[in-house]
Amino acid sequence: MANVGLQFQASAGDADPQSRPLLLLGQLHHLLRVPWSHVRGKLQPRVTEEMVCEQADVFASACALARAFPLFTHRSGASRRTEKKTVTVEFFLVGQDNGPVEVSTLQCLANATEGVRLAARIVDTPCSEMNTDTFLEEINKVGKELGIVPTIIRDEELKARGFGGLYGVGKAALHPPALAVLSHTPDGATQTIAWVGKGIVYDTGGLSIKGKTTMPGMKRDCGGAAAVLGAFRAAIKQGFKDNLHAVFCLAENSVGPNATRPDDIHLLYSGKTVEINNTDAEGRLVLADGVSYACKDLGADIILDMATLTGAQGIATGKYHAAVLTNSAEWEAACVKAGRKCGDLVHPLVYCPELHFSEFTSAVADMKNSVADRDNSPSSCAGLFIASHLGFDWPGVWVHLDIAAPVHAGERATGFGVALLLALFGRASEDPLLNLVSPLGCEVDVQEGDTGRDSKRRKLV
């Protein structure tokens, strides 16, 4: 599938299916509504891809299709096949708004599916190739395409500037850790949004090392950062109206003479100290520095972090639903709604810092990095650790998405999170399709007569 390109067209035209095979996709009740006259020319004289759905399902259908065509492979047979195949996708719309798909919609679908496949390719690539240096090259490549020069803080500069969490996790690796930022600051922006991605290119567990059955697959621990990169590329290409910063927390959690030890104490960018009692609880440390940077240096009003954070997420919300933890009930509902509209499903975790944060109590530091009781909602607690470095009284919106289970299906990456970010922040986009799949749908941004500082911000949920 690595040599397959996806092409979205309003009409693929008629053709002999012997030379251009046809696959009709859609929900059964939609397929039953397609008249024979619409498909006759594609099936006769004998029987690329036809998608049957309603207008509201176009975005989710296209993103689902993209997951079927992964880009990464090292199978020897694939390298011998130099020709690139193109799968042409035509949508038959049923129900209301059943006219031909507009050109602007096709462009949005192309950018969104490219983002999904980009994220999946990064997650599928082993750390022998996708180390922190290589991930930075991917970020630079996207930045160059969008005309954005990334900000990069690396290695000893991280230590000097106080990023104790990110530096402490990655300092033992051959390829040093890095904080990278892509920033989009358009005229007319009404608020500042930061997407913070966990980019652990490989997680051995550190000195609290994983076993032989739990370590394989840990190349996927950069799934949050990969999704942020794919979504950022698509969002800017489709016209994003607010300030948007993509923050990448990149490190390899390795073992070596310089590795962080249990009992070490790190000073994080928030100014808080953390006693390490589990070096395999590293994602929250890099994200704590990431969200603190987004707050202190980028002045973000809305901070969303996305991460393959806890194995317990798959137990809490299952293989197909990401877990959401947030300080806003409105944003919690919006994440669930956006997930249903884009196909990246989401379900809430318990947000109760007053009962759960005591799990991190330390006698010698502000907190430990891992819970005392692993049976007490560990996925919620892991998210609360990140939030504590903003402060539970922080007035902005904080959203945490744990995508540990849905980031892969079997042994393949899914590109999960790209569609979710595009849909969740669809109202900040100039694109009509992303507006449609946003939690607000086609509702008006601001009610007439609204006054005050909050009313000047673009309504997203």
Side-chain angles (χ1 to χ4, degrees):
M1 298 299 182
N3 287 331
V4 173
L6 287 178
Q7 182 181 71
F8 295 92
Q9 291 186 359
S11 174
D14 297 340
D16 185 346
Q18 186 71 26
S19 59
R20 193 182 71 179
L22 175 76
L23 177 64
L24 281 168
L25 297 175
Q27 297 180 54
L28 180 60
H29 63 281
H30 289 155
L31 291 169
L32 293 173
R33 294 161 67 183
V34 178
W36 168 245
S37 59
H38 285 190
V39 296
R40 179 188 302 157
K42 304 174 189 299
L43 299 176
Q44 293 178 335
R46 283 174 286 262
V47 178
T48 323
E49 196 103 22
E50 304 290 338
M51 183 72 75
V52 183
C53 64
E54 294 183 343
Q55 176 75 30
D57 298 329
V58 166
F59 183 76
S61 300
C63 291
L65 187 62
R67 299 185 188 103
F69 298 97
L71 290 169
F72 178 81
T73 182
H74 273 354
R75 287 186 170 179
S76 56
S79 63
R80 292 194 293 268
R81 292 194 296 270
T82 56
E83 77 281 1
K84 183 174 182 179
K85 297 181 180 179
T86 299
V87 174
T88 302
V89 183
E90 177 184 355
F91 282 90
F92 287 140
L93 300 184
V94 296
Q96 294 181 341
D97 301 322
N98 60 0
V101 177
E102 296 181 1
V103 174
S104 62
T105 297
L106 296 175
Q107 186 59 54
C108 178
L109 296 179
N111 285 327
T113 53
E114 286 169 9
V116 171
R117 298 180 83 196
L118 167 63
R121 175 176 62 78
I122 290 173
V123 173
D124 272 336
T125 305
C127 185
S128 56
E129 299 172 39
M130 189 56 65
N131 52 55
T132 56
D133 294 341
T134 321
F135 206 122
L136 285 173
E137 290 174 9
E138 297 283 351
I139 293 169
N140 276 301
K141 190 183 301 181
V142 170
K144 185 176 181 180
E145 186 179 2
L146 301 175
I148 299 171
V149 178
T151 298
I152 299 175
I153 307 170
R154 276 208 99 171
D155 203 6
E156 293 300 318
E157 186 183 356
L158 286 170
K159 180 180 180 182
R161 293 182 59 172
F163 293 91
L166 182 53
Y167 177 78
V169 168
K171 64 181 180 176
L174 176 63
H175 303 279
L179 183 85
V181 185
L182 290 171
S183 296
H184 169 71
T185 54
D187 294 334
T190 63
Q191 57 200 328
T192 298
I193 299 159
W195 295 343
V196 184
K198 173 189 172 185
I200 301 297
V201 293
Y202 201 81
D203 182 16
T204 65
L207 292 181
S208 305
I209 197 163
K210 294 178 183 292
K212 65 179 182 180
T213 58
T214 54
M215 198 183 298
M218 283 299 106
K219 65 179 182 179
R220 305 186 191 109
D221 218 11
C222 62
V228 166
L229 183 62
F232 183 85
R233 178 184 180 273
I236 305 310
K237 278 179 165 283
Q238 290 308 117
F240 202 84
K241 296 182 284 189
D242 281 328
N243 296 326
L244 180 62
H245 302 280
V247 181
F248 305 92
C249 305
L250 307 178
E252 179 182 350
N253 189 20
S254 191
V255 176
N258 296 326
T260 290
R261 299 165 290 268
D263 295 335
D264 284 357
I265 296 176
H266 292 324
L267 175 64
L268 271 59
Y269 197 65
S270 63
K272 296 181 179 180
T273 55
V274 178
E275 179 188 2
I276 306 302
N277 61 331
N278 180 4
T279 64
D280 197 19
E282 84 298 330
R284 64 200 67 181
L285 294 169
V286 305
L287 288 173
D289 277 350
V291 300
S292 297
Y293 181 85
C295 176
K296 293 164 66 173
D297 292 60
L298 302 177
D301 307 299
I302 302 168
I303 298 176
L304 179 147
D305 71 77
M306 182 172 281
T308 50
L309 201 67
T310 63
Q313 176 272 310
I315 298 169
T317 62
K319 293 181 179 180
Y320 308 111
H321 291 71
V324 60
L325 185 75
T326 173
N327 61 358
S328 166
E330 190 177 26
W331 277 82
E332 179 185 279
C335 287
V336 173
K337 188 173 181 180
R340 289 173 179 168
K341 288 193 173 187
C342 73
D344 284 353
L345 299 173
V346 179
H347 193 77
L349 292 173
V350 175
Y351 179 83
C352 192
E354 60 271 29
L355 293 182
H356 288 152
F357 192 67
S358 59
E359 289 289 341
F360 297 106
T361 299
S362 168
V364 293
D366 293 326
M367 65 192 78
K368 292 183 179 180
N369 76 314
S370 190
V371 294
D373 183 357
R374 294 178 67 87
D375 292 328
N376 189 15
S377 193
S379 293
S380 293
C381 291
L384 291 176
F385 178 94
I386 300 166
S388 71
H389 292 269
L390 290 170
F392 294 120
D393 57 350
W394 184 58
V397 172
W398 168 74
V399 179
H400 164 67
L401 289 163
D402 191 340
I403 63 171
V407 79
H408 70 103
E411 295 188 358
R412 273 296 193 178
T414 59
F416 189 98
V418 174
L420 179 59
L421 289 174
L422 292 173
L424 184 59
F425 292 88
R427 289 300 288 173
S429 176
E430 297 172 359
D431 186 81
L433 180 60
L434 295 182
N435 275 244
L436 178 64
V437 297
S438 77
L440 277 179
C442 292
E443 295 174 24
V444 178
D445 280 286
V446 180
Q447 298 295 322
E448 292 185 12
D450 280 353
T451 58
R453 179 173 179 266
D454 287 342
S455 68
K456 295 178 182 177
R457 294 179 179 172
R458 189 168 286 103
K459 188 176 181 184
L460 299 178
V461 299

